[in-house]
Amino acid sequence: MSDSLDRLYQAVIAAKDLDPSVSRTARLYQQGPEKMAKKLAEEAIEVVIDAINRKPDAVIRESADLLYNLTVLWAAAGVRPEQVWAEMSRREDMLGIAEKLPKPPKRPKSIEQNAARRPIVALEGRRLRKLS
């Protein structure tokens, strides 16, 4: 599969300077990274919807669209497929091929951070005053 994505990546690079009126890739490049990211997100949502609706043929078609749009975004961001493959190999060495790296644990906010965000107030009689 990486060979297919490598070929797709090379085709995307070659097509970026074509006439946008005839090349979807050139049009996406012309529209910029925001449009590229939006198209990628749309395709991902379509894959999810088709998977939920148990439509494997549609999942296949939309997955191909998703990979195309991901490759366009990689190229625009200066990311090469071999960099992604290297990251996948690194993760496989750590956890196995079928696992995703865990997110780092969220650090609890310290009392000082919370105090800096919100002043503490105390009721004194009927008047509010800030505590220092």
Side-chain angles (χ1 to χ4, degrees):
M1 179 172 124
S2 65
D3 187 48
S4 295
L5 286 175
D6 290 333
R7 287 193 325 274
L8 175 58
Y9 181 83
Q10 292 306 317
V12 164
I13 295 294
K16 71 180 186 176
D17 294 322
L18 295 176
D19 181 356
S21 68
V22 296
S23 169
R24 174 185 277 298
T25 303
R27 193 166 40 257
L28 283 169
Y29 264 93
Q30 185 180 53
Q31 293 170 331
E34 293 84 9
K35 181 66 172 183
M36 292 173 187
K38 182 180 176 190
K39 292 302 292 179
L40 179 65
E42 288 171 3
E43 297 302 341
I45 290 168
E46 289 175 7
V47 170
V48 169
I49 291 168
D50 290 332
I52 289 169
N53 291 328
R54 293 177 167 53
K55 295 180 177 179
D57 290 343
V59 170
I60 292 167
R61 287 189 305 275
E62 297 301 338
S63 293
D65 291 346
L66 178 64
L67 291 172
Y68 162 77
N69 282 285
L70 177 60
T71 304
V72 170
L73 197 62
W74 283 351
V79 173
R80 296 182 321 275
E82 60 268 18
Q83 293 172 300
V84 177
W85 311 151
E87 174 62 12
M88 291 179 71
S89 291
R90 185 183 76 82
R91 291 177 180 205
E92 181 178 5
D93 292 344
M94 292 174 60
L95 298 169
I97 191 71
E99 295 298 330
K100 182 179 177 284
L101 287 180
K103 300 277 186 208
K106 290 187 178 184
R107 295 186 330 180
K109 293 181 182 176
S110 68
I111 294 171
E112 295 82 25
Q113 286 174 324
N114 287 336
R117 284 191 359 197
R118 265 185 251 163
I120 299 173
V121 294
L123 290 175
E124 188 175 281
R126 293 184 180 253
R127 302 169 69 201
L128 289 177
R129 67 177 177 85
K130 288 186 181 180
L131 296 178
S132 308

